[in-house]
Amino acid sequence: MHLRELRDAGHAPSLVAALLHFDVSFMAWVLLGALGAYIGEDLGLSASAKGLMVAVPLLSAAAFRIALGLLGDRYGPRRVGLCSMAFVVLALITGWQLASSYGSLLGVGVLLGVAGASFAIALPLAGRHYPPERQGLAMGIAGAGNSGTVLTTLFAPRLAEAYGWHAVFGLALIPVALVWVAFALLAKEPPAPAKPVTPRDLTAMLREKDAWRLCGLYAVTFGTFVGLASFLPIFFRDQYGISKVDAATLVAVGAALGSLLRPLGGYLADRVGGTTVLTGVYGVGAALLLFTSALPALGATATAFILAMGTFGVGNGAVFQLVGIRYRERIGVLTGLVGAAGGLGGFFLPTILGVVKDAFGSFGPGLGAIAVAAAVALITTIRPSTAALAGARA
């Protein structure tokens, strides 16, 4: 499909606004991960403590995504998106001026979870402006804001080398403020749902098996992607002893690949079906993660992780094609639920890797456990009940 057709089918400025909002929010969301090696060295943290520190924003985002999904359905994603960015600014100011202990950094991580909840704003803003047959590509483009992880992992360590890790939080305020203004100018409230979702509707949705299936699928695809983006700078530094900048550069390559391939995942899902795409994603992803669990040489490990992040990036786009088709009229709250599951999956990955490293002296068993989770997801995609998602509407 030509981009001109996509532009004419919906509201292109809102699609751009959604992408920018998502991008800078993700940039802020993974700051603790990109700076984790510096903070850990400065505070003398164990592997499990570093794992928890970079995982807290992911867990916090899981809760905030549900809240923003409900608020966005009722008041509109544009209004709620503008308010959410104010919390991101507060988090960055706190990290810049006030965070000097492990406890205070965990508090910053909780606030940064609001940035991770941008999922529940950006995707409904983009998706509701486009018809069902354009859902996969439109939401894939908006979801390419995952590229914010690339900016952070690439530039944050270099800025920390020059100015110290506290200053990086202050410098991050610049792009966040600029996008805040751009979002206000470009975004247009999409057509509201016929009936705004309430907490009671959320409870009812939790009784639907399809909602749980989509949450489980996304917990693996996005949880693996963002969990690796957050923890791999620490992993490469601790496991192979390379410089913090070089470690972050390797992760930036993987994050870039996953972000660029997310729209492709949505496009392929539009063409051949989301569950078909996901079957390939989980099969390839499980194999790559199992390979890394043997902790081979640096070059082989780095290549496998980069390919794994790209693979799960494709999966992220495919899952949300299914969300857009299956729950078009309730996309805001379902986006919040599914996004929360992704954040929860991301929380477990660095937590498991850190705890396993302290317990067994190796990251290998933890990586093996994550490979098993991807294999389980693969099995679910070939079940008829999951395959039927692509043909359902609600």
Side-chain angles (χ1 to χ4, degrees), residues 206-219:
L206 287 173
R207 292 195 290 267
E208 297 186 22
K209 292 181 179 180
D210 283 352
W212 283 101
R213 290 189 184 101
L214 290 167
C215 286
L217 295 174
Y218 201 62

Side-chain angles (χ1 to χ4, degrees), residues 61-364:
F64 282 121
R65 283 179 179 182
I66 296 174
L68 292 189
L70 289 168
L71 292 171
D73 258 20
R74 178 165 293 276
Y75 300 109
R78 180 183 180 275
R79 294 184 186 89
V80 177
L82 288 170
C83 294
S84 71
M85 293 192 77
F87 286 91
V88 178
V89 168
L90 176 61
L92 294 175
I93 292 174
T94 303
W96 176 28
Q97 295 292 329
L98 302 175
S100 57
S101 65
Y102 185 65
S104 61
L105 285 164
L106 293 181
V108 170
V110 172
L111 287 174
L112 287 176
V114 179
S118 62
F119 232 94
I121 299 301
L123 297 192
L125 178 65
R128 286 184 189 154
H129 279 295
Y130 288 87
E133 63 271 17
R134 301 290 184 256
Q135 287 287 305
L137 184 56
M139 295 179 75
I141 290 173
N146 284 344
S147 59
T149 61
V150 181
L151 299 175
T152 296
T153 53
L154 193 59
F155 293 110
R158 289 166 170 80
L159 292 171
E161 291 278 348
Y163 305 107
W165 60 266
H166 278 103
V168 178
F169 287 97
L171 292 170
L173 285 165
I174 298 172
V176 170
L178 291 174
V179 169
W180 200 0
V181 174
F183 186 81
L185 296 175
L186 294 174
K188 173 185 175 183
E189 291 289 9
K195 179 179 180 295
V197 177
T198 66
R200 181 177 298 177
D201 298 322
L202 177 60
T203 302
M205 189 174 290
L206 287 173
R207 292 195 290 267
E208 297 186 22
K209 292 181 179 180
D210 283 352
W212 283 101
R213 290 189 184 101
L214 290 167
C215 286
L217 295 174
Y218 201 62
V220 177
T221 60
F222 183 75
T224 303
F225 174 82
V226 76
L228 291 176
S230 296
F231 194 77
L232 282 183
I234 295 170
F235 167 83
F236 282 123
R237 173 68 174 173
D238 290 356
Q239 179 65 32
Y240 296 101
I242 62 176
S243 73
K244 293 185 277 292
V245 170
D246 288 343
T249 300
L250 291 175
V251 180
V253 174
L257 186 62
S259 300
L260 290 172
L261 292 181
R262 180 172 183 139
L264 176 64
Y267 174 75
L268 291 175
D270 284 339
R271 299 296 297 271
V272 302
T275 53
T276 301
V277 175
L278 288 171
T279 299
V281 164
Y282 294 129
V284 173
L288 289 168
L289 290 170
L290 185 62
F291 174 76
T292 64
S293 69
L295 301 175
L298 173 62
T301 302
T303 300
F305 274 129
I306 289 169
L307 292 175
M309 293 178 75
T311 299
F312 286 111
V314 172
N316 291 336
V319 172
F320 268 90
Q321 185 261 2
L322 293 174
V323 171
I325 288 177
R326 178 67 178 84
Y327 288 101
R328 177 168 175 78
E329 292 302 319
R330 294 179 283 172
I331 193 171
V333 69
L334 205 282
T335 296
L337 275 177
V338 173
L344 196 60
F347 168 78
F348 283 119
L349 189 148
T351 303
I352 289 171
L353 290 180
V355 170
V356 168
K357 178 64 165 64
D358 281 346
F360 299 100
S362 172
F363 290 113

